[in-house]
Amino acid sequence: MAKLAETSIATVSYILNGSEGRYVSAELRERVLQAAKELNYVKSAVASSLKGKDRGILSVLVPQFDNPFFTRIIVAIEEVAHRNGYFISISTTVDDMEREREIIKKMIEQRVDGLIISPTIQGTENTDHLRNLGIPYVILERPLIGLSQYEFVGSDNLSSGYSATKHLIENGHTRIGFLGWDTFINVQDRKDGYLNAMEESGLEVKQQWIQLGSLERDSGYRLMKHCLDSNITAVVFGHHILAEGAIRLLRERKISIPEEMSVVIVGTPSWAELSLPKFTCVKQGEEQIGEIAAEILLKNIAGETESQTWHKEKVFCEVVPGDSVKNLNNQGEL
């Protein structure tokens, strides 16, 4: 930074620490502050205070507070943290890249002992400071693009799409649609699982059967309209938020579940169990994800993991049967 500002290290430290007592020109002060901004600087005093001075605080960043998937993970993290004498600070990024960057910066300044983050699409860049300062962190569910060496825990999204589709195939369905979110790689893995199950069973997949869009209820509603025009008998919802909108359309059109349309949802929102019919879902193992992530982070904070050993944990997903899948075996398709 001193080189970028064309001054000495002592002068940089003097300005950034807000010291007073000697004259510094406005032009020099501006050069140093601009260099700090360009380098996304965090005070060296904060960085040095991180070493050997645990505060007993973990930071957890998730994209959505109202998503039961993340809520259950947070509860599991908190339980592990509490057992080990730690408290957790919870923040939501609402999938805003700038907000994520600011929260991470603030958590560094607050000297948290480690972070668990489900990142935005700019997560790789926004976590650079953590790597530069050697602050332990674990990534949840969504991978960091372009980076291979980091701690990761998430659900096995490929198996979730595969298991959901296989369940429908085993119940005699061959014309199966898929509705998914098109932003993150992990969610796209669910589509690949669907394709793998269809291919393995020798089933045709028509282009219109796969509908991808934004993660909104209204998006699920619109995508389902396209699927209905293709004469499918069943659908895999790759995300429960999309499922809400799509099921609303089915009910508006008085399409009976499962008599006229069989449904499997990836995820286990509370409404799926309370609805009539009770929906068949794919459980993603949120509790395990939270527990594993917290345990890995605490071991890293304690220095109990070998250097250059990176965990890539994917928790198995399983189908939880409900009443939303019609068995077509021995009676022909609709």
Side-chain angles (χ1 to χ4, degrees):
M1 185 185 301
K3 184 176 180 180
L4 182 61
E6 298 179 351
T7 188
S8 68
I9 295 174
T11 299
V12 168
S13 177
Y14 182 84
I15 292 171
L16 293 179
N17 286 312
S19 303
E20 298 179 359
R22 68 183 178 91
Y23 172 76
V24 176
S25 70
E27 187 271 337
L28 176 56
R29 184 180 299 276
E30 179 60 29
R31 286 208 315 267
V32 170
L33 294 177
Q34 183 59 36
K37 183 177 180 180
E38 291 180 19
L39 296 173
N40 201 17
Y41 173 77
V42 175
K43 290 183 181 179
S44 59
V46 173
S48 62
S49 72
L50 287 167
K51 297 188 179 298
K53 295 185 179 180
D54 290 356
R55 296 189 66 208
I57 301 175
L58 308 179
S59 176
V60 181
L61 278 68
V62 296
Q64 306 128 9
F65 271 156
D66 60 347
N67 188 337
F69 175 80
F70 291 112
T71 303
R72 293 166 189 157
I73 288 175
I74 290 169
V75 170
I77 291 171
E78 198 280 333
E79 179 60 31
V80 174
H82 179 72
R83 288 201 306 265
N84 288 274
Y86 282 81
F87 292 93
I88 65 172
S89 169
I90 308 167
S91 304
T92 177
T93 65
V94 295
D95 267 321
D96 183 296
M97 296 175 286
E98 180 63 21
R99 183 165 172 169
E100 176 183 63
R101 187 185 70 81
E102 289 300 322
I103 293 172
I104 291 174
K105 180 181 178 182
K106 180 61 68 175
M107 292 302 102
I108 293 173
E109 292 173 352
Q110 294 298 314
R111 297 178 305 155
V112 297
D113 300 300
L115 299 90
I116 298 175
I117 305 169
S118 185
T120 67
I121 58 175
Q122 195 173 303
T124 303
E125 179 181 339
N126 286 345
T127 53
D128 275 345
H129 260 333
L130 300 177
R131 289 183 287 278
N132 292 338
L133 295 172
I135 299 172
Y137 70 95
V138 176
I139 295 298
L140 282 179
E141 188 62 13
R142 304 171 172 182
L144 296 178
I145 307 302
L147 196 67
S148 59
Q149 297 183 337
Y150 62 94
E151 307 284 18
F152 174 88
V153 184
S155 57
D156 188 341
N157 286 288
L158 191 70
S159 78
S160 70
Y162 177 89
S163 299
T165 309
K166 197 70 175 176
H167 182 75
L168 289 167
I169 293 171
E170 289 170 350
N171 278 274
H173 294 271
T174 59
R175 301 194 302 274
I176 303 168
F178 179 88
L179 267 66
W181 186 21
D182 60 1
T183 300
F184 285 95
I185 290 176
N186 65 308
V187 182
Q188 293 181 37
D189 283 346
R190 299 174 191 176
K191 179 196 70 176
D192 292 338
Y194 156 83
L195 290 171
N196 289 348
M198 295 292 280
E199 181 180 2
E200 178 183 275
S201 300
L203 298 177
E204 174 190 18
V205 176
K206 294 184 178 180
Q207 184 176 357
Q208 196 173 2
W209 292 359
I210 300 177
Q211 298 290 330
L212 305 177
S214 58
L215 190 61
E216 299 168 332
R217 292 169 181 84
D218 287 346
S219 177
Y221 186 96
R222 292 190 299 271
L223 296 175
M224 193 67 215
K225 282 184 179 179
H226 297 298
C227 267
L228 286 179
D229 295 335
S230 61
N231 197 31
I232 59 172
T233 67
V235 61
V236 173
F237 293 123
H239 200 289
H240 64 84
I241 290 178
L242 294 173
E244 285 189 60
I247 291 166
R248 176 163 59 90
L249 175 67
L250 294 176
R251 287 175 172 165
E252 284 180 5
R253 294 197 178 183
K254 301 188 185 309
I255 296 173
S256 174
I257 301 172
E259 291 304 318
E260 297 173 273
M261 182 67 63
S262 290
V263 168
V264 179
I265 302 170
V266 175
T268 52
S270 57
W271 58 262
E273 185 172 352
L274 298 174
S275 297
L276 292 174
K278 176 183 175 182
F279 286 95
T280 297
C281 296
V282 177
K283 183 173 175 56
Q284 298 172 280
E286 298 96 319
E287 293 80 7
Q288 285 179 273
I289 292 171
E291 289 173 3
I292 294 170
E295 289 166 357
I296 290 174
L297 182 62
L298 291 174
K299 286 181 180 179
N300 284 341
I301 291 171
E304 295 177 2
T305 55
E306 297 181 13
S307 60
Q308 298 182 337
T309 299
W310 308 101
H311 299 87
K312 291 288 189 293
E313 302 281 349
K314 289 191 176 183
V315 174
F316 179 73
C317 300
E318 62 176 328
V319 174
V320 180
D323 304 313
S324 63
V325 175
K326 182 177 181 179
N327 192 334
L328 298 180
N329 293 318
N330 303 319
Q331 61 179 351
E333 290 192 12
L334 296 175

